[in-house]
């Protein structure tokens, strides 16, 4: 079971990077405090992983056939890549990192499922674009009704706070259901553990990442791209949750980071492009391009290093 520590490491890094997106907008808009939000997100991540995580695990394990040794290398390579990006406060895709590492192992095995890989890559493009479109639509529709409801400042604050709590819970559930495949899917493919065990271990490790190291990326998402007031934060949170849930229904693990950035961009489109910090977006897009490349390279390096043997003189 020590081999699963690589998956636990990956789950922690995913929670630290991706899950901050779930609660980042609510906390950054000062509608929720960090610890209640983190505890709420941790609970629903585990629930989502256990109840609805099977479809994504089945898709990911079908990309290639890995041995136990290679499954461990894949999870460690993906975790190292995401951790580096987290330290740099960049919201990257754990899905891209895992698939990049699987690609490295597939190159060594000369065995890749290109049809499954193509499906995943198409969803990488569709995730931020879809989230941006959903955010624009939600902003227009919800804004139409919200502006016509007579209420005091206190009631407005109370409604937005309740909406953010519900949307963050929904988003956390969708994250656990969709992204648990990234954490422990390779171990199911290697025949080490069952789908249910993978969902439990993956969900708990993601929750641990949320509680311990999610603040740096949260600052980038919630404050540095475009300033979010509570209503915009609610729209982004809902757009994120709906986007990830849609991909969960088709069994493709996608990135909550890409979804939340898409949602934030949607708000930027509504409010005017000049409200978006283009320099921050460029850094994030470059990180998305390099993430699978770096993960693939790290996986190959670890694999070669693990084959080295000491020969006494």
């Amino acid at each position: 079971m020590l081999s699963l520590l690589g998956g636990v490491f990956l789950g922690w890094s995913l929670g630290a990077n991706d899950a901050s997106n779930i609660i980042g907008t609510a906390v950054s808009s000062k509608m929720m405090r960090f610890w209640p939000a983190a505890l709420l997100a941790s609970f629903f991540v585990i629930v989502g992983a256990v109840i609805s995580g099977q479809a994504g695990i089945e898709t990911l394990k079908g990309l290639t056939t890995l041995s136990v040794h290679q499954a461990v290398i894949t999870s460690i390579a993906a975790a190292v890549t995401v951790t580096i990006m987290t330290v740099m406060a960049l919201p990257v895709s754990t899905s891209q990192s895992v698939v990049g590492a699987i690609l490295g192992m597939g190159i060594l095995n000369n065995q890749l499922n290109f049809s499954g890989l193509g499906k995943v890559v198409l969803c990488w493009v569709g995730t931020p674009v879809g989230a941006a479109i959903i955010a624009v639509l939600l902003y227009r529709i919800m804004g139409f009704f919200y502006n016509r409801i007579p209420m005091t400042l206190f009631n407005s604050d109370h409604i937005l706070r309740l909406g953010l709590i519900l949307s963050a819970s929904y988003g956390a559930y969708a994250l656990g259901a969709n992204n648990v495949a990234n954490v422990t899917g390779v171990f199911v493919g290697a025949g080490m553990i069952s789908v249910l065990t993978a969902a439990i271990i993956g969900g708990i490790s993601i929750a641990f990442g949320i509680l311990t190291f999610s603040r740096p990326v949260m600052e980038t998402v919630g404050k540095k791209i475009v300033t979010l007031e509570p209503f915009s934060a609610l729209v982004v949170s809902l757009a994120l949750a709906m986007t990830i849930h849609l991909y969960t229904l088709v069994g493709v693990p996608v990135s909550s980071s890409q979804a939340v950035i898409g949602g934030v961009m949607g708000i930027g489109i509504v409010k005017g492009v000049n409200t978006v910090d283009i320099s921050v977006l460029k850094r994030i897009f470059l990180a998305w391009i390099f993430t699978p490349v770096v993960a693939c390279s790290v996986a190959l390096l670890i694999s070669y290093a693990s084959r080295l043997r000491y020969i006494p003189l």
Side-chain angles (χ1 to χ4, degrees):
M1 294 299 287
L2 286 176
S3 302
L4 286 173
L5 288 178
V8 173
F9 178 25
L10 178 57
W12 173 85
S13 63
L14 188 153
N17 192 290
D18 284 33
S20 64
N21 303 321
I22 302 297
I23 55 176
T25 52
V27 175
S28 297
S29 63
K30 302 187 184 303
M31 296 300 285
M32 294 178 71
R33 289 181 296 171
F34 173 77
W35 282 110
L39 289 170
L40 189 73
S42 300
F43 173 76
F44 279 102
V45 157
I46 296 173
V47 173
V50 173
I51 293 179
S52 304
Q54 183 174 354
I57 291 174
E58 295 290 345
T59 296
L60 201 65
K61 80 173 187 180
L63 290 181
T64 186
T65 302
L66 300 179
S67 65
V68 173
H69 178 68
Q70 290 174 327
V72 173
I73 291 175
T74 298
S75 58
I76 292 175
V80 167
T81 303
V82 175
T83 301
I84 291 171
M85 298 300 180
T86 302
V87 171
M88 296 172 68
L90 290 172
V92 297
S93 165
T94 305
S95 301
Q96 287 183 318
S97 184
V98 171
V99 173
I102 290 177
L103 183 63
M105 292 297 99
I107 291 171
L108 291 178
N109 294 344
N110 195 25
Q111 180 186 29
L112 278 173
N113 179 350
F114 284 103
S115 62
L117 187 62
K119 178 182 175 184
V120 173
V121 171
L122 280 176
C123 291
W124 288 348
V125 178
T127 300
V129 175
I133 294 172
I134 292 174
V136 171
L137 293 175
L138 286 177
Y139 193 92
R140 299 295 189 197
I141 296 171
M142 291 171 60
F144 176 83
F145 292 103
Y146 181 76
N147 291 329
R148 283 161 177 75
I149 299 175
M151 54 187 164
T152 64
L153 182 61
F154 174 80
N155 286 338
S156 172
D157 186 74
H158 188 70
I159 289 172
L160 289 174
R161 194 184 305 276
L162 179 62
L164 279 166
I165 291 173
L166 294 175
S167 63
S169 301
Y170 176 31
Y173 178 91
L175 177 73
N178 187 281
N179 274 218
V180 72
N182 294 326
V183 177
T184 45
V186 291
F187 295 101
V188 177
M192 283 184 63
I193 54 177
S194 67
V195 172
L196 178 60
T197 304
I200 294 172
I201 294 175
I204 292 174
S205 57
I206 294 171
F208 186 59
I210 298 173
L211 296 171
T212 56
F213 204 72
S214 60
R215 280 183 185 265
V217 182
M218 189 187 307
E219 293 289 325
T220 298
V221 171
K223 293 181 179 178
K224 294 183 179 178
I225 301 174
V226 60
T227 302
L228 296 176
E229 80 324 311
F231 181 77
S232 297
L234 175 59
V235 170
V236 171
S237 183
L238 273 177
L240 159 73
M242 292 172 68
T243 303
I244 296 179
H245 193 192
L246 286 174
Y247 283 109
T248 302
L249 295 177
V250 297
V252 177
V254 294
S255 168
S256 66
S257 298
Q258 292 180 334
V260 77
I261 295 299
V264 171
M265 287 174 60
I267 297 299
I269 292 170
V270 172
K271 292 189 170 184
V273 178
N274 59 341
T275 62
V276 179
D277 191 327
I278 300 298
S279 63
V280 175
L281 276 183
K282 284 181 179 176
R283 287 183 62 219
I284 292 173
F285 286 145
L286 283 175
W288 288 357
I289 293 171
F290 282 114
T291 294
V293 177
V294 171
C296 179
S297 303
V298 172
L300 290 173
L301 284 174
I302 295 175
S303 181
Y304 284 125
S306 69
R307 297 178 184 180
L308 296 177
R309 295 290 181 271
Y310 173 71
I311 302 177
L313 297 175

